[in-house]
Amino acid sequence: MFITSRCLRKLFAACTHTTMSTATMAALSFANSTLFSKTSIFICRNRVAVSTFSTVSSVVSSDNRRTKKWRQPVMPSAVELGNIKIAKEDVVRDDPANNVPDGIFRKLGMQLHRRNQHPLGILKNAIYDFFDSNYSKNFEKFDDLCPIVSVKANFDDVLVPADHVSRSYNDTYYVDSQTVLRCHTSAHQAELLRNGHTHFLVTGDVYRRDSIDSTHYPVFHQMEGVRVFSPDDWESSGLDATTYTAQDLKTCLEGLARHLFGAVEMRWVDTYFPFTNPSYELEIFFQEKWLEVLGCGVMEQEILKANGKPDNYAWAFGLGLERLAMVLFDIPDIRLFWSSDDRFTSQFAKGQLGVKFKPFSKFPPCYKDMSFWINESFTENNLCEVVRGIAGDLVEEISLIDSFTNNKGMTSHCYRITFRSMERNLTDEEINDLQVYALFETREQ
Protein backbone atom coordinates (compact mmCIF):
# COMPACT_ATOMS: atom_id res chain seq x y z
CA MET A 1 0.00 0.00 0.00
CA PHE A 2 1.02 3.65 -0.38
CA ILE A 3 2.19 5.63 2.63
CA THR A 4 0.00 8.72 2.67
CA SER A 5 1.49 12.11 3.53
CA ARG A 6 -0.47 12.26 6.80
CA CYS A 7 0.67 8.78 7.88
CA LEU A 8 4.26 9.51 6.96
CA ARG A 9 4.31 12.71 8.98
CA LYS A 10 2.88 10.88 12.01
CA LEU A 11 5.43 8.10 11.69
CA PHE A 12 8.22 10.61 11.29
CA ALA A 13 7.15 12.55 14.38
CA ALA A 14 6.89 9.33 16.37
CA CYS A 15 10.55 8.54 15.69
CA THR A 16 11.65 10.94 18.41
CA HIS A 17 9.64 9.05 21.04
CA THR A 18 10.41 5.43 20.17
CA THR A 19 13.36 3.10 19.94
CA MET A 20 12.89 2.66 16.20
CA SER A 21 16.10 1.66 14.42
CA THR A 22 18.43 4.27 12.98
CA ALA A 23 17.97 2.89 9.48
CA THR A 24 14.18 3.11 9.71
CA MET A 25 14.32 6.62 11.18
CA ALA A 26 16.65 7.70 8.42
CA ALA A 27 14.39 6.08 5.83
CA LEU A 28 11.41 8.07 7.06
CA SER A 29 13.56 11.20 7.14
CA PHE A 30 14.58 10.70 3.54
CA ALA A 31 11.02 9.99 2.41
CA ASN A 32 9.74 12.99 4.35
CA SER A 33 12.23 15.40 2.83
CA THR A 34 11.74 13.98 -0.66
CA LEU A 35 7.95 14.04 -0.52
CA PHE A 36 7.46 17.36 1.25
CA SER A 37 10.56 19.48 0.59
CA LYS A 38 10.94 18.71 -3.11
CA THR A 39 8.90 17.45 -6.02
CA SER A 40 7.87 13.88 -5.27
CA ILE A 41 9.63 11.35 -7.45
CA PHE A 42 8.57 8.16 -5.70
CA ILE A 43 6.40 6.81 -2.92
CA CYS A 44 8.04 4.46 -0.44
CA ARG A 45 6.83 0.93 0.18
CA ASN A 46 6.35 0.32 3.90
CA ARG A 47 7.32 -3.33 3.95
CA VAL A 48 10.94 -2.72 2.93
CA ALA A 49 13.36 -0.41 4.73
CA VAL A 50 14.64 2.41 2.54
CA SER A 51 18.26 3.48 2.95
CA THR A 52 19.09 7.16 2.90
CA PHE A 53 22.33 8.97 2.34
CA SER A 54 24.36 12.10 2.92
CA THR A 55 27.11 13.90 1.08
CA VAL A 56 30.77 12.91 1.19
CA SER A 57 31.55 13.73 4.72
CA SER A 58 34.63 12.38 6.31
CA VAL A 59 37.71 14.42 6.92
CA VAL A 60 40.65 12.08 6.38
CA SER A 61 43.98 12.52 8.14
CA SER A 62 46.93 12.39 5.77
CA ASP A 63 48.80 10.40 8.42
CA ASN A 64 46.42 7.66 9.46
CA ARG A 65 43.37 8.31 7.21
CA ARG A 66 40.99 7.70 10.06
CA THR A 67 37.44 8.89 9.66
CA LYS A 68 36.49 11.93 11.72
CA LYS A 69 33.12 13.48 12.36
CA TRP A 70 31.40 14.65 9.22
CA ARG A 71 30.52 18.26 8.62
CA GLN A 72 28.35 19.72 5.91
CA PRO A 73 30.53 20.99 3.02
CA VAL A 74 30.68 24.76 2.93
CA MET A 75 28.67 26.18 0.06
CA PRO A 76 30.47 29.05 -1.70
CA SER A 77 28.38 32.18 -2.13
CA ALA A 78 29.93 32.83 -5.54
CA VAL A 79 32.33 31.30 -8.06
CA GLU A 80 34.64 32.99 -10.55
CA LEU A 81 34.72 32.17 -14.26
CA GLY A 82 37.55 34.10 -15.85
CA ASN A 83 36.97 37.67 -14.70
CA ILE A 84 33.26 37.11 -14.07
CA LYS A 85 31.89 36.42 -10.59
CA ILE A 86 28.70 34.33 -10.53
CA ALA A 87 26.65 34.39 -7.33
CA LYS A 88 24.95 31.24 -6.13
CA GLU A 89 21.53 32.89 -6.35
CA ASP A 90 22.17 33.50 -10.06
CA VAL A 91 22.30 29.75 -10.65
CA VAL A 92 20.47 28.01 -7.79
CA ARG A 93 17.31 30.09 -7.83
CA ASP A 94 13.93 30.02 -6.19
CA ASP A 95 12.35 29.57 -9.62
CA PRO A 96 9.77 26.91 -10.52
CA ALA A 97 11.86 25.92 -13.54
CA ASN A 98 15.16 25.72 -11.64
CA ASN A 99 16.55 22.21 -11.06
CA VAL A 100 20.24 23.04 -10.39
CA PRO A 101 21.37 21.47 -7.09
CA ASP A 102 24.03 22.86 -4.78
CA GLY A 103 26.48 20.12 -5.79
CA ILE A 104 26.42 21.22 -9.41
CA PHE A 105 26.97 24.87 -8.47
CA ARG A 106 30.14 23.80 -6.63
CA LYS A 107 31.55 22.47 -9.92
CA LEU A 108 31.22 25.79 -11.75
CA GLY A 109 34.56 27.49 -12.11
CA MET A 110 36.70 24.41 -11.42
CA GLN A 111 37.70 24.17 -15.11
CA LEU A 112 39.69 20.96 -14.98
CA HIS A 113 40.43 21.30 -18.70
CA ARG A 114 42.54 24.41 -18.03
CA ARG A 115 44.92 22.62 -15.64
CA ASN A 116 48.02 21.68 -17.61
CA GLN A 117 49.00 18.86 -15.24
CA HIS A 118 45.53 17.32 -15.15
CA PRO A 119 44.72 14.45 -17.56
CA LEU A 120 41.98 16.52 -19.21
CA GLY A 121 44.28 19.51 -19.65
CA ILE A 122 47.04 17.28 -20.99
CA LEU A 123 44.66 15.78 -23.55
CA LYS A 124 43.28 19.19 -24.55
CA ASN A 125 46.81 20.49 -25.15
CA ALA A 126 47.72 17.40 -27.20
CA ILE A 127 44.76 18.11 -29.49
CA TYR A 128 45.83 21.74 -29.71
CA ASP A 129 49.31 20.58 -30.75
CA PHE A 130 47.82 18.55 -33.61
CA PHE A 131 45.84 21.48 -35.00
CA ASP A 132 48.70 23.93 -34.54
CA SER A 133 51.11 21.62 -36.37
CA ASN A 134 48.81 20.74 -39.25
CA TYR A 135 46.93 24.01 -39.78
CA SER A 136 49.61 26.65 -39.11
CA LYS A 137 47.88 27.75 -35.91
CA ASN A 138 44.84 28.90 -37.91
CA PHE A 139 42.40 27.45 -35.38
CA GLU A 140 41.37 29.90 -32.68
CA LYS A 141 40.99 28.41 -29.22
CA PHE A 142 38.28 29.19 -26.67
CA ASP A 143 38.34 27.42 -23.31
CA ASP A 144 36.89 29.93 -20.86
CA LEU A 145 33.40 30.66 -22.23
CA CYS A 146 30.66 30.86 -19.61
CA PRO A 147 28.65 27.63 -19.24
CA ILE A 148 25.43 29.52 -18.47
CA VAL A 149 23.70 29.93 -21.83
CA SER A 150 20.27 30.61 -23.25
CA VAL A 151 17.88 27.87 -24.30
CA LYS A 152 18.09 29.38 -27.79
CA ALA A 153 21.89 29.01 -27.96
CA ASN A 154 21.89 25.53 -26.45
CA PHE A 155 19.06 24.07 -28.52
CA ASP A 156 17.42 26.31 -31.13
CA ASP A 157 20.58 27.65 -32.77
CA VAL A 158 21.86 24.12 -33.42
CA LEU A 159 18.47 22.84 -34.65
CA VAL A 160 17.62 20.55 -31.74
CA PRO A 161 13.92 19.70 -32.32
CA ALA A 162 11.39 21.21 -29.94
CA ASP A 163 10.31 17.75 -28.77
CA HIS A 164 13.82 16.31 -28.41
CA VAL A 165 14.39 14.42 -25.16
CA SER A 166 17.51 16.46 -24.35
CA ARG A 167 15.33 19.54 -23.75
CA SER A 168 13.47 17.88 -20.86
CA TYR A 169 13.97 18.79 -17.21
CA ASN A 170 14.93 15.16 -16.73
CA ASP A 171 18.03 15.60 -18.90
CA THR A 172 19.07 19.25 -18.64
CA TYR A 173 19.86 21.64 -15.77
CA TYR A 174 17.61 24.69 -16.09
CA VAL A 175 18.47 27.94 -14.32
CA ASP A 176 15.09 29.28 -15.43
CA SER A 177 12.77 28.55 -18.32
CA GLN A 178 15.02 30.41 -20.80
CA THR A 179 18.47 29.66 -19.35
CA VAL A 180 20.41 26.41 -18.90
CA LEU A 181 23.82 25.07 -18.01
CA ARG A 182 25.15 24.14 -21.44
CA CYS A 183 24.68 20.50 -22.46
CA HIS A 184 27.41 20.70 -25.11
CA THR A 185 30.05 23.10 -26.36
CA SER A 186 27.99 23.49 -29.55
CA ALA A 187 26.01 26.07 -27.56
CA HIS A 188 28.65 28.64 -28.60
CA GLN A 189 28.79 27.69 -32.27
CA ALA A 190 26.27 30.18 -33.65
CA GLU A 191 27.65 33.17 -31.74
CA LEU A 192 31.21 32.46 -32.87
CA LEU A 193 30.08 32.11 -36.49
CA ARG A 194 28.16 35.40 -36.27
CA ASN A 195 31.28 37.07 -34.91
CA GLY A 196 33.26 36.07 -37.98
CA HIS A 197 35.26 33.10 -36.68
CA THR A 198 35.86 30.43 -39.33
CA HIS A 199 38.36 28.00 -37.72
CA PHE A 200 37.91 27.39 -34.00
CA LEU A 201 38.08 24.92 -31.12
CA VAL A 202 35.82 25.32 -28.07
CA THR A 203 36.59 23.39 -24.88
CA GLY A 204 34.60 23.50 -21.68
CA ASP A 205 32.65 21.84 -18.92
CA VAL A 206 29.15 20.65 -19.87
CA TYR A 207 26.25 19.56 -17.68
CA ARG A 208 23.70 16.77 -18.03
CA ARG A 209 21.49 14.97 -15.53
CA ASP A 210 22.56 11.35 -15.89
CA SER A 211 22.83 7.91 -14.38
CA ILE A 212 25.46 6.97 -11.80
CA ASP A 213 28.20 4.53 -12.74
CA SER A 214 31.93 4.50 -13.44
CA THR A 215 31.62 6.25 -16.83
CA HIS A 216 28.84 8.81 -16.18
CA TYR A 217 28.98 12.04 -14.21
CA PRO A 218 26.70 15.10 -14.33
CA VAL A 219 29.63 17.34 -15.26
CA PHE A 220 32.08 16.42 -17.98
CA HIS A 221 34.16 18.16 -20.64
CA GLN A 222 33.85 18.47 -24.40
CA MET A 223 35.77 19.92 -27.29
CA GLU A 224 34.05 21.24 -30.39
CA GLY A 225 35.86 21.97 -33.65
CA VAL A 226 34.56 23.96 -36.64
CA ARG A 227 36.10 24.76 -40.03
CA VAL A 228 34.34 26.96 -42.60
CA PHE A 229 35.03 26.79 -46.36
CA SER A 230 34.41 29.34 -49.12
CA PRO A 231 33.43 28.50 -52.74
CA ASP A 232 37.05 28.98 -53.86
CA ASP A 233 38.07 26.02 -51.70
CA TRP A 234 35.86 23.39 -53.34
CA GLU A 235 35.33 24.76 -56.85
CA SER A 236 38.94 24.17 -57.84
CA SER A 237 38.81 20.58 -56.55
CA GLY A 238 36.25 19.32 -59.00
CA LEU A 239 34.09 18.08 -56.10
CA ASP A 240 30.75 19.33 -54.90
CA ALA A 241 30.78 21.33 -51.67
CA THR A 242 29.39 18.57 -49.43
CA THR A 243 31.80 15.89 -50.71
CA TYR A 244 34.78 18.23 -50.44
CA THR A 245 33.88 19.24 -46.89
CA ALA A 246 33.26 15.66 -45.76
CA GLN A 247 36.57 14.45 -47.22
CA ASP A 248 38.50 17.25 -45.51
CA LEU A 249 36.75 16.44 -42.23
CA LYS A 250 37.65 12.75 -42.39
CA THR A 251 41.25 13.45 -43.33
CA CYS A 252 41.60 15.84 -40.40
CA LEU A 253 40.06 13.56 -37.80
CA GLU A 254 41.88 10.43 -38.95
CA GLY A 255 45.09 12.39 -38.46
CA LEU A 256 43.96 13.45 -34.98
CA ALA A 257 43.18 9.83 -34.04
CA ARG A 258 46.67 8.72 -35.13
CA HIS A 259 48.18 11.63 -33.18
CA LEU A 260 46.46 10.47 -29.99
CA PHE A 261 46.37 6.68 -30.36
CA GLY A 262 49.09 5.77 -32.84
CA ALA A 263 48.69 3.59 -35.93
CA VAL A 264 45.22 2.18 -35.26
CA GLU A 265 42.58 0.69 -37.52
CA MET A 266 39.64 3.07 -38.08
CA ARG A 267 36.14 2.96 -39.47
CA TRP A 268 33.43 5.53 -40.19
CA VAL A 269 29.84 4.89 -39.12
CA ASP A 270 26.91 6.82 -40.57
CA THR A 271 24.71 8.33 -37.87
CA TYR A 272 22.30 11.20 -37.16
CA PHE A 273 22.81 14.56 -35.47
CA PRO A 274 20.30 17.41 -35.85
CA PHE A 275 23.03 19.95 -36.66
CA THR A 276 25.02 18.06 -39.35
CA ASN A 277 24.19 16.25 -42.58
CA PRO A 278 25.76 13.91 -43.46
CA SER A 279 26.80 12.84 -39.96
CA TYR A 280 29.42 10.32 -38.87
CA GLU A 281 31.03 8.67 -35.88
CA LEU A 282 34.72 7.75 -35.97
CA GLU A 283 35.64 4.46 -34.31
CA ILE A 284 39.10 2.99 -33.75
CA PHE A 285 40.18 -0.56 -32.94
CA PHE A 286 42.05 -0.11 -29.69
CA GLN A 287 42.90 -2.59 -26.94
CA GLU A 288 41.12 -5.40 -28.80
CA LYS A 289 37.79 -3.61 -29.23
CA TRP A 290 36.11 -0.90 -31.28
CA LEU A 291 35.99 2.45 -29.49
CA GLU A 292 33.87 5.43 -30.50
CA VAL A 293 36.15 8.47 -30.55
CA LEU A 294 33.91 11.32 -31.66
CA GLY A 295 30.88 12.48 -33.62
CA CYS A 296 31.04 14.86 -36.57
CA GLY A 297 29.56 15.90 -39.89
CA VAL A 298 28.94 18.58 -42.49
CA MET A 299 27.17 21.48 -40.81
CA GLU A 300 23.56 22.03 -41.77
CA GLN A 301 23.27 24.93 -44.21
CA GLU A 302 20.46 26.42 -42.14
CA ILE A 303 22.95 27.14 -39.33
CA LEU A 304 25.39 28.87 -41.67
CA LYS A 305 22.67 30.94 -43.36
CA ALA A 306 21.25 32.05 -40.01
CA ASN A 307 24.67 33.28 -38.94
CA GLY A 308 25.74 35.33 -41.96
CA LYS A 309 27.43 32.68 -44.08
CA PRO A 310 24.89 31.70 -46.78
CA ASP A 311 27.53 30.88 -49.40
CA ASN A 312 29.79 28.78 -47.19
CA TYR A 313 30.05 25.15 -46.13
CA ALA A 314 31.57 23.88 -42.89
CA TRP A 315 32.36 20.80 -40.87
CA ALA A 316 32.06 20.34 -37.15
CA PHE A 317 33.09 17.67 -34.65
CA GLY A 318 32.62 17.09 -30.94
CA LEU A 319 34.43 14.78 -28.55
CA GLY A 320 34.28 13.98 -24.85
CA LEU A 321 37.58 14.53 -23.08
CA GLU A 322 36.81 12.15 -20.18
CA ARG A 323 35.88 9.34 -22.53
CA LEU A 324 39.22 9.51 -24.35
CA ALA A 325 41.29 10.27 -21.24
CA MET A 326 39.93 7.22 -19.42
CA VAL A 327 41.27 5.07 -22.27
CA LEU A 328 44.57 6.89 -22.83
CA PHE A 329 45.48 7.10 -19.13
CA ASP A 330 43.80 3.85 -17.95
CA ILE A 331 41.60 5.73 -15.47
CA PRO A 332 38.89 3.30 -14.32
CA ASP A 333 36.38 5.64 -12.67
CA ILE A 334 35.20 9.03 -13.94
CA ARG A 335 35.01 10.37 -10.36
CA LEU A 336 38.80 10.28 -10.17
CA PHE A 337 39.08 13.29 -12.48
CA TRP A 338 37.64 15.40 -9.64
CA SER A 339 39.97 14.00 -6.97
CA SER A 340 42.43 16.28 -5.21
CA ASP A 341 44.22 13.32 -3.61
CA ASP A 342 47.92 13.73 -4.35
CA ARG A 343 48.18 10.00 -4.98
CA PHE A 344 46.15 10.73 -8.10
CA THR A 345 47.26 14.21 -9.12
CA SER A 346 51.00 13.53 -8.67
CA GLN A 347 50.94 10.81 -11.35
CA PHE A 348 50.47 13.27 -14.22
CA ALA A 349 52.65 16.00 -15.69
CA LYS A 350 52.30 18.64 -18.39
CA GLY A 351 52.84 17.28 -21.89
CA GLN A 352 52.91 13.61 -20.87
CA LEU A 353 50.01 12.09 -22.81
CA GLY A 354 49.07 8.51 -22.05
CA VAL A 355 50.93 7.99 -18.75
CA LYS A 356 49.15 4.98 -17.26
CA PHE A 357 47.38 5.58 -13.98
CA LYS A 358 48.56 3.36 -11.14
CA PRO A 359 45.70 2.60 -8.71
CA PHE A 360 46.71 3.48 -5.16
CA SER A 361 44.18 1.02 -3.76
CA LYS A 362 40.91 -0.73 -4.52
CA PHE A 363 38.73 -0.08 -1.52
CA PRO A 364 35.83 -2.44 -0.83
CA PRO A 365 32.26 -1.42 -1.64
CA CYS A 366 29.40 -0.94 0.79
CA TYR A 367 26.01 -1.95 -0.61
CA LYS A 368 22.58 -0.59 0.32
CA ASP A 369 19.32 -1.66 -1.33
CA MET A 370 16.10 0.30 -1.38
CA SER A 371 12.70 -0.56 -2.77
CA PHE A 372 9.70 1.65 -3.47
CA TRP A 373 6.56 1.98 -5.53
CA ILE A 374 6.92 4.26 -8.53
CA ASN A 375 4.34 6.54 -10.10
CA GLU A 376 4.05 7.95 -13.61
CA SER A 377 6.36 10.88 -12.83
CA PHE A 378 9.27 8.71 -11.67
CA THR A 379 12.50 8.75 -13.69
CA GLU A 380 15.78 7.10 -12.85
CA ASN A 381 17.65 10.35 -13.49
CA ASN A 382 15.62 12.02 -10.75
CA LEU A 383 16.48 9.22 -8.33
CA CYS A 384 20.16 9.54 -9.19
CA GLU A 385 19.99 13.30 -8.68
CA VAL A 386 18.52 12.88 -5.19
CA VAL A 387 21.07 10.24 -4.18
CA ARG A 388 24.00 12.16 -5.62
CA GLY A 389 22.82 15.36 -3.96
CA ILE A 390 22.99 13.70 -0.55
CA ALA A 391 25.85 11.22 -0.93
CA GLY A 392 28.04 13.04 -3.45
CA ASP A 393 31.01 11.12 -4.84
CA LEU A 394 30.71 8.34 -2.28
CA VAL A 395 28.18 6.77 -4.65
CA GLU A 396 29.84 4.59 -7.26
CA GLU A 397 26.78 3.12 -8.94
CA ILE A 398 23.01 2.85 -8.79
CA SER A 399 21.51 -0.16 -10.55
CA LEU A 400 18.00 -1.54 -10.88
CA ILE A 401 18.07 -5.11 -9.52
CA ASP A 402 14.37 -5.95 -9.43
CA SER A 403 11.06 -4.73 -10.85
CA PHE A 404 7.62 -6.02 -9.86
CA THR A 405 4.08 -5.15 -10.99
CA ASN A 406 1.17 -6.36 -8.87
CA ASN A 407 -2.32 -7.32 -10.01
CA LYS A 408 -3.50 -3.75 -9.47
CA GLY A 409 -0.97 -2.45 -11.99
CA MET A 410 1.30 -0.85 -9.38
CA THR A 411 5.03 -1.17 -10.08
CA SER A 412 7.81 -1.48 -7.53
CA HIS A 413 11.53 -0.97 -8.23
CA CYS A 414 14.42 -2.18 -6.12
CA TYR A 415 17.73 -0.36 -6.57
CA ARG A 416 21.16 -1.28 -5.28
CA ILE A 417 23.33 1.67 -4.29
CA THR A 418 27.04 0.93 -4.28
CA PHE A 419 29.10 3.16 -2.01
CA ARG A 420 32.85 3.18 -2.52
CA SER A 421 35.35 5.87 -1.67
CA MET A 422 38.28 6.29 -4.03
CA GLU A 423 40.54 7.30 -1.13
CA ARG A 424 39.74 5.14 1.90
CA ASN A 425 37.64 2.33 3.37
CA LEU A 426 33.95 2.82 4.08
CA THR A 427 32.04 0.86 6.71
CA ASP A 428 28.39 0.10 7.37
CA GLU A 429 28.75 2.04 10.61
CA GLU A 430 29.94 5.11 8.74
CA ILE A 431 27.08 4.91 6.23
CA ASN A 432 24.64 4.57 9.15
CA ASP A 433 26.20 7.65 10.74
CA LEU A 434 25.54 9.52 7.51
CA GLN A 435 21.92 8.40 7.69
CA VAL A 436 21.62 9.83 11.21
CA TYR A 437 22.99 13.13 9.93
CA ALA A 438 20.36 13.13 7.18
CA LEU A 439 17.68 12.62 9.84
CA PHE A 440 18.87 15.56 11.95
CA GLU A 441 19.17 17.80 8.90
CA THR A 442 15.60 17.06 7.87
CA ARG A 443 14.26 17.68 11.39
CA GLU A 444 15.95 21.08 11.43
CA GLN A 445 14.35 22.21 8.18
Side-chain angles (χ1 to χ4, degrees), residues 61 80 188 243 249 288 314 325 355 403 412:
S61 166
E80 289 192 10
H188 304 285
T243 302
L249 168 69
E288 304 303 317
V355 172
S403 180
S412 166

Side-chain angles (χ1 to χ4, degrees), residues 293-343:
V293 175
L294 50 81
C296 61
V298 177
M299 190 180 296
E300 285 281 7
Q301 285 302 105
E302 183 178 344
I303 296 175
L304 290 164
K305 291 176 182 177
N307 294 287
K309 294 178 168 47
D311 301 321
N312 300 91
Y313 273 69
W315 55 243
F317 74 85
L319 57 83
L321 292 180
E322 278 89 346
R323 180 182 180 85
L324 300 188
M326 290 180 78
V327 175
L328 288 165
F329 294 94
D330 278 353
I331 294 173
D333 193 311
I334 196 168
R335 294 175 298 165
L336 281 164
F337 289 112
W338 298 91
S339 175
S340 58
D341 191 314
D342 59 6
R343 293 173 296 174

Side-chain angles (χ1 to χ4, degrees), residues 409-428:
M410 297 165 57
T411 299
S412 166
H413 282 180
C414 183
Y415 285 89
R416 174 157 295 163
I417 294 88
T418 303
F419 293 87
R420 191 200 306 265
S421 171
M422 297 173 291
E423 301 172 353
R424 56 185 175 79
N425 286 321
L426 295 176
T427 66
D428 280 329

